[in-house]
Amino acid sequence: MIEFFVKHRVTTIMFVLVFVVLGIYSYSNLLVEKTPKIDFPIVTVSVTYPGATPLEVDTLVVKKIEDAVSEISEIKKIKSRAYDSLAFVSIEFLIEANVNVKSIEVKDKVDAIINDLPDDIEKPVIEKFDPLMVPVMDLVLYSDTLDTRDLYEYADKTLRTKFSSIAGVAKVDLYGGKKRQINVWLDPMLMKQYYISIGEVINAMKVKNLNVPAGTLEKGFSSLGARFTGEFENIDEIAEMRMVSSDGSIFQLKDIAVIEDSFKKVESMARYKGKEVVGLSINKASDGNAVYISQQMRRRLNDFRKILPKGAKLDIASDTTTFIVNETNATKWSILIGLLLTAAILYLFIGRWDIAIIACIIIPTSIISTLFPMWASKFSINMMTLLAIASVLGTLISNAIVIIENVLVHLDRHDDPEKAAIDGTKEVVVPIIAATGTNLVVFMPLSMMGGIVGVFMQSFGLTVVYATLFSVLASFCLTPMMCAAILKSRKAKQSGSVKRNLFLDLLLTPLHWIRKSIDHGIEFLKKECKHIFDLTFRYPKMTIIVIILMFFGSFMLVPYIENDFSPRSDENQLTINMTLPQGSTIERTLETCKMVEGYLDKIPERKSYLTKIGENGVENAKITFDLVSLKDRKRKDIEIMDELTKFIATIPDVEVSYERGMSVESGTGDVAIDLYGVDYDTMIGLSEEMKDSMQRSGYFKSVILSYKYPRDEIRMKPLQEKLVEYGVTAASVGSSFRSSVYGEDSNTYKEKGEEYKVNIELNDAYAQDFDDIKVMSVPSRKGLIPLDELGSLTTEKAVPTIRRRDRDRVIHLDGFLGKSSLGIVTGILDKRFKTIQFPEGYGYRYVGNSEHMDETNRELGKAFVLAVILTFMLLCALMDSLIAYPITVMSTVFISITGMILGLFFLGLSINIASLMGVVMLVGMVVNNAILLLDHTLIKMREGVPVKEALWLGASEKFRAIMMTSLAIILGVLPQLWSVMEAKKSMGAVMTGGMIASVVLTFVLVPVVFWYLERFEKRLFRR
């Protein structure tokens, strides 16, 4: 086949171009995303229970849903939260479960118990959940002249529809502003005067405000529809609606109430750069292209602005694709730089531009071709696939380097380039297959890992496999063909058959000097290597002992290396989460936000900030703080965060946490702990002790408890004898109580085809404190009577937000690190928590990132072991050796670990998912040097050369090839050390350190180990 490709050049070019063209076509169809597309096996159930306390939500909604869904198979864990008026249940299934099927099963279980849930709940919302799904972008609508109610109305009725028409947009969420609502504010004093209750007002409106189709009248060949129309046609009609009291008097609604065309009670707000705005979050569909959506929104932004009401403005507040696009472009530049560095290395080592040209063709060809199977596998361009291509850059050319180097040897023997290309390639088929095979058996286990991390690794591992396969294809067809077509022997050049450009030679004189210096350097290193070689064989046992000590000694540095799950990067954005005490009003939260916004305005690195108030309670606020690009500022985001921490610490009663970079579980702390037990009050005490211990450890910026000090609430407990005496039921009293305080909005008002809620409740002036509650009236057979006549009214503490894990109540602690790392701090906390007396049945467990880190370490550990075993088996099979060859080659894996540890330690990077991936990857890379050395050694041994001499010939004659391939891999990943993504830095440090250690120690350890094992194998098998 090699001979065919060399002699049929056009055929070879067309064969390779088929994959290149398919790759270019595939590139246009590949989505650009931040993370791989994953169908997370998570289904959520959200139930709104207006006016209910967390305890009521927990007892009446959450527990019943948990009991129902727990019967479903393949459940991994169930988590739930009970908020004011909201129940949230999250069911996570095993990764192999079909989330679409499980979603249907959850829906069926919830529907089966719907009649057991309170009547006042809204329809449960059941949906698949993606923790990595974030809005593509946020836009804000604001005005100096228009009210936020009008802005909300326009955004809801017009802009939402316009934005949703863009291809790939799934939904547009609105937040902030004021939602239009017709408010009926009842005056309790006037109601008593007219002898009417709030329930009677609500029922009177219900029976009046309706349209009823009466059917069709037919006569002859024509028909006529009939309809009763009783719905309100304007606001005045609502105000003038006639009411009849219990004593028969007739009056209008406006006689006892103020009717306003106003807005719903504000429970959430949005602010942009200090101005109140209406926010619109653009969410993409599962198969949508975030970058395309962002581009379309920006392209059509001026068109949207032209149709805005006079005085309104529309701006982009945040765009999550900016970082994706920048990182994609940065990776492209890294690949280009790696390509140029590799080409430069080839020229400087061999001194021929034609070889550099071959490299510049081989690498892009392999990368572009890889895009085709990526698209066929339904992958996207994301951080994992980009990381895969950037990491494999050096290995794409390593096989070609081996071939080129051997072809040059043959060219020096005779002048026929075709024969040199064919023979030179055939001679190195075995080491190339061995090197490629080791890469494949290493990366295949990465793509087969289990758990959520396995789904992430699938696109990474298979992308590397695809690129490696195309590099082999290029090595055996394109590389020899190009060698035959381009390369000429040195004799031909010297004889003048190849014309030289004197001007070009003069221009490149400095490069010639550098190349000659490198040649001298290589020869010097070979001489020094010979001295080391002789020294190691003079003291072979001592050599092995020293290297073993180096290996185990490097592990003494591991405790000083930070240990994380996934490193956070500077993505030009900080999220500030603030929580005020339970019972705080939205006005208090707003004032706190204004204080922080005022400080943000003074930070020179600011770009903009978007504030959201009222997510999961009016006491919560979130500020998304966008920074100018990292290259345009002097401080990193972590330094700015430290400055903000000092300022917010001066604001009383504020709990604050920060988010930066990507997290699988957004909103959780760096260290997340669930405290479990039997008695909730005992758990509260233990959680306070744990929080205090964490704060006193000195490692945390802030520690946040899920348990909040409860706010006061007024409770009414009815007396049964009173209910019987007055002829009322507990349900009617509770309904009147609820409607008076919370309001009742079951009625609607229609205008221009749109529906608006009509809310009926007591005027706020009469529903402010305990005394107002006492005089609220309910109808009875003895007339209107105050609430306190029917039972006792008391002020008690309300149960705050309740969290559950696997159907048990837990108290959650989130610790946000100020220094050190997850792995180190959890070990320290375990020691500190031993001083806390946990009663029997009580304990804690690390969750969040700790769970993911444990799963990742476990799966990567299995992948590493499998990679080592498969690599060993492959080497045994290729060389028909059980001991000497495979064990010697595998010894390079362990010496490279020393370099990995030193790389992370001296560069100040952490052990994390990316660095562990690098460790597994290096199993298939560091063995290549030993394979080259020993393959040539075995050839010489077959020629009758003694073992020691053959080992030196293998080391010396393959010295340049080993240096070139290793430097190609190192330079391919070197640009990653300057990436803004910490994951890339960690992987780059591991691969660079491991390859350097492999290069240095291969010439020291491999010959000695092979010498010992080869003699042992001969004695064992009596060869």
Side-chain angles (χ1 to χ4, degrees):
M1 283 299 289
I2 295 172
E3 187 174 349
F4 174 84
F5 287 126
V6 170
K7 293 186 175 181
H8 298 81
R9 297 178 183 177
V10 175
T11 303
T12 302
I13 292 172
M14 293 301 109
F15 175 67
V16 173
L17 280 179
V18 167
F19 298 104
V20 174
V21 171
L22 289 173
I24 294 171
Y25 169 77
S26 301
Y27 179 75
S28 62
N29 294 320
L30 285 170
L31 300 180
V32 179
E33 300 174 312
K34 186 173 183 179
T35 58
K37 181 184 176 183
I38 299 175
D39 284 331
F40 281 90
I42 302 174
V43 179
T44 62
V45 182
S46 303
V47 182
T48 301
Y49 185 10
T53 65
L55 183 59
E56 292 169 331
V57 171
D58 182 61
T59 305
L60 301 177
V61 181
V62 170
K63 284 184 178 180
K64 293 179 179 180
I65 293 176
E66 285 184 342
D67 291 342
V69 300
S70 63
E71 300 171 3
I72 301 173
S73 61
E74 298 182 297
I75 289 179
K76 183 178 180 181
K77 58 188 174 187
I78 300 175
K79 296 190 292 185
S80 61
R81 300 185 189 184
Y83 301 100
D84 279 321
S85 305
L86 176 67
F88 181 82
V89 181
S90 172
I91 307 103
E92 181 178 343
F93 298 91
L94 298 176
I95 191 64
E96 57 268 19
N98 186 323
V99 68
N100 295 313
V101 173
K102 295 303 176 184
S103 179
I104 295 171
E105 290 183 22
V106 170
K107 183 179 184 303
D108 291 341
K109 292 294 184 182
V110 174
D111 287 344
I113 63 162
I114 197 72
N115 293 329
D116 298 331
L117 300 178
D119 294 334
D120 293 332
I121 67 164
E122 296 180 6
K123 184 179 179 181
V125 177
I126 300 164
E127 55 189 352
K128 294 182 291 183
F129 178 67
D130 183 352
L132 298 180
M133 183 69 75
V134 294
V136 175
M137 61 197 318
D138 282 277
L139 293 96
V140 291
L141 183 65
Y142 61 97
S143 174
D144 294 329
T145 57
L146 298 176
D147 184 75
T148 52
R149 194 196 80 158
D150 298 325
L151 293 175
Y152 187 96
E153 183 76 4
Y154 184 79
D156 186 29
K157 309 306 181 193
T158 304
L159 287 183
R160 191 200 292 263
T161 305
K162 296 285 185 184
F163 293 169
S164 298
S165 65
I166 296 175
V169 174
K171 63 176 181 177
V172 180
D173 294 327
L174 265 64
Y175 55 90
K178 299 169 182 175
K179 188 174 184 179
R180 186 183 179 189
Q181 179 175 274
I182 313 303
N183 291 323
V184 178
W185 300 106
L186 296 171
D187 186 323
M189 300 301 129
L190 294 174
M191 290 170 66
K192 287 181 181 180
Q193 181 179 333
Y194 284 96
Y195 208 70
I196 195 168
S197 69
I198 188 170
E200 290 172 315
V201 174
I202 293 168
N203 291 330
M205 187 173 290
K206 283 182 179 179
V207 298
K208 163 68 177 72
N209 184 35
L210 51 83
N211 288 352
V212 181
T216 304
L217 303 175
E218 296 182 357
K219 183 178 181 180
F221 293 102
S222 62
S223 64
L224 183 66
R227 175 181 294 273
F228 171 82
T229 56
E231 290 182 347
F232 300 119
E233 295 183 356
N234 53 61
I235 306 301
D236 290 338
E237 191 174 335
I238 298 176
E240 295 169 359
M241 184 182 74
R242 293 190 172 274
M243 311 286 296
V244 180
S245 66
S246 300
D247 63 359
S249 59
I250 299 175
F251 56 93
Q252 293 181 325
L253 180 59
K254 64 182 179 181
D255 293 332
I256 60 169
V258 175
I259 294 86
E260 295 178 340
D261 185 355
S262 185
F263 52 85
K264 188 177 180 180
K265 183 179 180 181
V266 176
E267 294 180 342
S268 67
M269 297 182 70
R271 293 167 58 81
Y272 179 63
K273 294 182 179 179
K275 292 184 177 180
E276 191 172 352
V277 300
V278 176
L280 300 98
S281 287
I282 313 298
N283 298 277
K284 76 178 188 73
S286 59
D287 58 347
N289 189 330
V291 174
Y292 173 80
I293 292 171
S294 175
Q295 291 171 344
Q296 290 299 305
M297 285 297 303
R298 292 181 180 276
R299 186 177 66 82
R300 298 173 60 179
L301 186 60
N302 286 331
D303 294 334
F304 294 140
R305 285 171 173 165
K306 290 176 183 177
I307 61 173
L308 294 176
K310 187 176 180 180
K313 298 177 182 178
L314 182 67
D315 285 338
I316 296 173
S318 66
D319 186 348
T320 57
T321 65
T322 303
F323 181 80
I324 303 171
V325 173
N326 291 342
E327 186 56 29
T328 302
N329 293 333
T331 303
K332 291 177 182 177
W333 275 107
S334 295
I335 292 171
L336 179 60
I337 293 170
L339 172 62
L340 295 176
L341 288 174
T342 303
I345 284 296
L346 288 175
Y347 169 74
L348 294 174
F349 268 77
I350 300 177
R352 300 182 59 156
W353 282 109
D354 43 12
I355 293 175
I357 292 171
I358 293 174
C360 290
I361 293 174
I362 294 294
I363 294 177
T365 298
S366 300
I367 292 175
I368 294 172
S369 300
T370 302
L371 298 175
F372 171 57
M374 281 176 59
W375 172 67
S377 300
K378 298 182 179 180
F379 294 163
S380 62
I381 297 175
N382 55 67
M383 60 177 290
M384 299 306 296
T385 50
L386 289 174
L387 191 60
I389 292 173
S391 302
V392 80
L393 188 62
T395 60
L396 296 180
I397 193 62
S398 59
N399 291 334
I401 289 174
V402 174
I403 291 175
I404 291 168
E405 194 265 345
N406 210 46
V407 169
L408 289 174
V409 173
H410 281 265
L411 277 173
D412 289 340
R413 295 177 185 169
H414 47 72
D415 295 331
D416 184 1
E418 281 194 1
K419 190 173 187 308
I422 295 169
D423 294 344
T425 304
K426 286 181 177 179
E427 283 184 4
V428 292
V429 166
V430 172
I432 286 177
I433 290 176
T436 304
T438 55
N439 282 339
L440 294 178
V441 298
V442 164
F443 289 108
M444 284 304 293
L446 278 178
S447 64
M448 297 186 297
M449 288 168 56
I452 294 292
V453 68
V455 184
F456 270 88
M457 291 299 105
Q458 185 181 41
S459 58
F460 176 86
L462 288 180
T463 298
V464 175
V465 168
Y466 297 150
T468 303
L469 289 174
F470 278 112
S471 75
V472 174
L473 182 68
S475 297
F476 286 136
C477 64
L478 190 60
T479 302
M481 185 277 291
M482 292 180 68
C483 286
I486 297 176
L487 299 184
K488 304 297 179 184
S489 68
R490 292 187 177 91
K491 293 179 181 178
K493 287 190 174 185
Q494 291 169 1
S495 65
S497 62
V498 178
K499 294 183 178 180
R500 299 183 63 178
N501 189 319
L502 295 178
F503 175 75
L504 186 61
D505 285 348
L506 183 63
L507 190 65
L508 298 178
T509 298
L511 289 178
H512 294 324
W513 291 343
I514 296 173
R515 183 180 56 77
K516 288 180 180 178
S517 298
I518 290 176
D519 285 341
H520 292 315
I522 291 290
E523 292 304 317
F524 172 77
L525 288 175
K526 284 171 81 171
K527 289 180 181 178
E528 294 302 314
C529 187
K530 175 61 175 172
H531 295 319
I532 296 172
F533 182 87
D534 293 337
L535 185 64
T536 56
F537 275 97
R538 191 178 307 164
Y539 307 103
K541 293 180 181 178
M542 183 59 68
T543 299
I544 294 175
I545 291 171
V546 169
I547 292 178
I548 290 174
L549 289 175
M550 287 174 58
F551 172 72
F552 286 105
S554 64
F555 281 90
M556 297 176 67
L557 297 175
V558 172
Y560 301 97
I561 300 175
E562 294 187 350
N563 189 358
D564 277 322
F565 166 59
S566 177
R568 305 291 178 87
S569 305
D570 188 335
E571 298 184 10
N572 305 323
Q573 188 179 85
L574 290 173
T575 302
I576 308 165
N577 299 298
M578 296 184 293
T579 301
L580 276 73
Q582 293 282 304
S584 299
T585 61
I586 196 168
E587 288 76 17
R588 181 181 179 184
T589 308
L590 175 60
E591 288 304 312
T592 302
C593 290
K594 286 182 178 179
M595 293 173 65
V596 177
E597 289 174 351
Y599 192 81
L600 295 180
D601 284 326
K602 299 175 184 177
I603 295 178
E605 295 88 352
R606 83 180 183 286
K607 182 180 179 182
S608 64
Y609 53 85
L610 176 64
T611 304
K612 297 180 183 179
I613 302 173
E615 288 189 357
N616 299 324
V618 296
E619 68 276 6
N620 299 313
K622 180 170 77 172
I623 301 177
T624 304
F625 184 33
D626 285 315
L627 305 169
V628 296
S629 178
L630 182 60
K631 66 178 183 294
D632 298 325
R633 51 185 159 93
K634 297 179 180 179
R635 294 189 297 176
K636 295 182 178 179
D637 63 345
I638 194 78
E639 298 175 77
I640 298 171
M641 191 166 70
D642 290 338
E643 179 186 340
L644 281 169
T645 301
K646 294 176 183 177
F647 170 74
I648 298 177
T650 63
I651 304 175
D653 301 327
V654 176
E655 285 187 336
V656 63
S657 64
Y658 303 89
E659 293 179 34
R660 56 187 293 265
M662 185 199 73
S663 175
V664 177
E665 292 198 22
S666 178
T668 62
D670 301 308
V671 179
I673 303 173
D674 274 348
L675 170 67
Y676 58 87
V678 181
D679 179 66
Y680 198 68
D681 290 334
T682 305
M683 290 167 57
I684 293 170
L686 291 172
S687 67
E688 294 287 354
E689 289 187 60
M690 293 176 68
K691 178 181 178 181
D692 182 62
S693 180
M694 292 172 70
Q695 289 174 330
R696 286 189 290 104
S697 69
Y699 287 97
F700 297 93
K701 279 189 175 74
S702 62
V703 180
I704 296 178
L705 270 180
S706 65
Y707 173 80
K708 308 297 181 185
Y709 187 77
R711 66 180 180 181
D712 292 334
E713 70 174 7
I714 298 173
R715 295 182 183 176
M716 179 190 176
K717 187 172 183 179
L719 298 173
Q720 294 301 318
E721 59 272 17
K722 291 288 185 179
L723 296 179
V724 174
E725 179 184 344
Y726 286 99
V728 294
T729 63
S732 64
V733 175
S735 178
S736 295
F737 189 19
R738 172 186 168 81
S739 300
S740 298
V741 178
Y742 184 80
E744 207 281 344
D745 60 359
S746 60
N747 282 288
T748 58
Y749 168 69
K750 296 179 182 178
E751 182 179 283
K752 298 179 180 179
E754 301 291 344
E755 287 190 355
Y756 304 96
K757 295 284 187 180
V758 178
N759 185 62
I760 303 172
E761 65 178 291
L762 293 187
N763 195 303
D764 284 344
Y766 299 98
Q768 292 184 340
D769 54 32
F770 190 86
D771 291 334
D772 290 332
I773 299 295
K774 288 168 63 177
V775 298
M776 288 181 181
S777 301
V778 294
S780 73
R781 62 186 176 196
K782 294 184 178 182
L784 290 177
I785 54 172
L787 277 175
D788 61 350
E789 282 289 323
L790 297 172
S792 60
L793 290 168
T794 57
T795 302
E796 298 183 25
K797 297 295 183 183
V799 176
T801 300
I802 298 172
R803 299 178 71 134
R804 298 167 66 87
R805 169 73 182 258
D806 295 329
R807 304 170 69 187
D808 292 324
R809 281 191 186 181
V810 296
I811 294 179
H812 186 79
L813 296 95
D814 281 313
F816 297 87
L817 291 172
K819 60 181 180 180
S820 195
S821 63
L822 174 63
I824 293 174
V825 172
T826 52
I828 293 171
L829 289 180
D830 283 333
K831 295 177 182 177
R832 297 181 67 91
F833 290 161
K834 287 181 180 178
T835 62
I836 300 174
Q837 299 296 321
F838 288 91
E840 187 177 351
Y842 295 80
Y844 66 91
R845 54 175 168 255
Y846 294 104
V847 295
N849 285 336
S850 294
E851 286 182 306
H852 298 305
M853 187 168 74
D854 290 341
E855 181 184 52
T856 300
N857 292 344
R858 184 170 59 254
E859 293 298 330
L860 281 172
K862 290 193 292 186
F864 177 79
V865 172
L866 182 59
V868 170
I869 293 172
L870 291 176
T871 302
F872 181 83
M873 293 172 65
L874 177 68
L875 294 173
C876 290
L878 287 174
M879 291 303 174
D880 192 28
S881 172
L882 281 174
I883 298 175
Y885 185 85
I887 293 179
T888 303
V889 172
M890 292 305 297
S891 67
T892 59
V893 174
F894 299 100
I895 62 175
S896 68
I897 292 176
T898 300
M900 303 174 199
I901 294 172
L902 292 174
L904 292 174
F905 178 77
F906 286 109
L907 292 176
L909 298 169
S910 66
I911 298 172
N912 53 63
I913 183 174
S915 54
L916 291 176
M917 284 163 50
V919 172
V920 180
M921 290 172 63
L922 277 174
V923 173
M925 294 181 180
V926 296
V927 297
N928 294 343
N929 293 335
I931 289 172
L932 278 175
L933 191 155
L934 292 181
D935 179 70
H936 199 72
T937 297
L938 292 173
I939 291 174
K940 295 300 179 183
M941 288 173 63
R942 294 188 195 103
E943 294 174 359
V945 179
V947 177
K948 284 186 183 179
E949 188 178 341
L951 283 167
W952 171 243
L953 289 173
S956 61
E957 293 182 15
K958 291 300 175 181
F959 187 85
R960 187 181 293 266
I962 289 173
M963 294 297 291
M964 282 193 296
T965 54
S966 298
L967 280 173
I969 294 173
I970 291 170
L971 292 175
V973 300
L974 199 62
Q976 294 182 28
L977 295 178
W978 287 272
S979 172
V980 298
M981 290 189 68
E982 295 295 322
K984 282 189 175 182
K985 285 184 180 180
S986 299
M987 181 175 282
V990 164
M991 297 183 69
T992 302
M995 286 303 303
I996 291 173
S998 173
V999 172
V1000 173
L1001 297 179
T1002 290
F1003 295 105
V1004 177
L1005 181 67
V1006 168
V1008 176
V1009 172
F1010 182 79
W1011 181 63
Y1012 270 117
L1013 293 178
E1014 195 269 342
R1015 291 190 300 168
F1016 174 75
E1017 190 174 42
K1018 277 186 177 179
R1019 287 197 299 268
L1020 183 66
F1021 296 105
R1022 301 186 183 278
R1023 292 181 178 178

